[in-house]
Amino acid sequence: MKVKVLSIPVQDQAKALAFYTEILGFVKKVDVPLSEDSRWLTVVSKEEQDGPEILLEPSPKHFEPAKTYQRSLFEAGIPYTQFNVENMQQEYDRLSALGVVFSIKPTEMGTVKIAVFDDTCGNNIQIVEML
């Protein structure tokens, strides 16, 4: 078994695509219209373009449990997912300069250094540097 696609619920796919590509530096991989307001939209790491894809999945507008789950995680400050970085301070400085809002600044926790930011699409995302 292999991991091919992981999904992140987003409130606005166009806004998410701009944030994940222009700010975070991912590359758009697949963009297929599914309906009037929904598409199969994935991004990949610039460094690993044949690696796992992140599906920027429209957060279900008419499915209250999914909306509640996403909102509850965000309000509790719990990251929806995490991405690894090579140099935490460098990535933190780069993202901060681009206006990314961090709820947790770089913090050492045992064998890792973490930081958490708002992806502007309804999620907290954690970045991690292995020490």
Side-chain angles (χ1 to χ4, degrees):
M1 227 181 280
K2 288 185 188 180
V3 175
K4 179 65 179 160
V5 178
L6 302 168
S7 67
I8 295 177
V10 297
Q11 296 162 346
D12 179 319
Q13 283 185 300
K15 182 178 179 182
L17 179 61
F19 183 83
Y20 278 78
T21 57
E22 297 168 18
I23 304 295
L24 297 184
F26 287 94
V27 176
K28 181 169 67 169
K29 177 99 176 193
V30 177
D31 189 353
V32 177
L34 298 175
S35 69
E36 211 173 280
D37 63 347
S38 178
R39 42 207 248 226
W40 183 267
L41 179 61
T42 68
V43 295
V44 293
S45 169
K46 190 183 310 182
E47 294 85 17
E48 216 177 337
Q49 293 188 30
D50 290 326
E53 298 173 46
I54 300 168
L55 173 63
L56 301 175
E57 186 167 10
S59 185
K61 294 179 174 112
H62 305 293
F63 187 58
E64 196 58 39
K67 288 176 15 183
T68 300
Y69 175 71
Q70 183 182 17
R71 185 176 48 250
S72 295
L73 282 179
F74 186 82
E75 289 172 357
I78 298 171
Y80 191 85
T81 195
Q82 78 175 32
F83 304 130
N84 284 22
V85 297
E86 293 294 319
N87 183 312
M88 175 64 71
Q89 194 60 51
Q90 181 179 334
E91 195 64 19
Y92 173 79
D93 292 343
R94 181 184 79 80
L95 293 174
S96 292
L98 292 170
V100 173
V101 176
F102 282 82
S103 57
I104 298 177
K105 294 181 179 181
T107 305
E108 278 194 37
M109 300 184 90
T111 60
V112 298
K113 190 181 288 187
I114 68 155
V116 177
F117 63 86
D118 177 351
D119 78 350
T120 73
C121 305
N123 305 292
N124 291 303
I125 304 294
Q126 180 169 281
I127 52 177
V128 176
E129 174 187 353
M130 307 305 282
L131 301 175

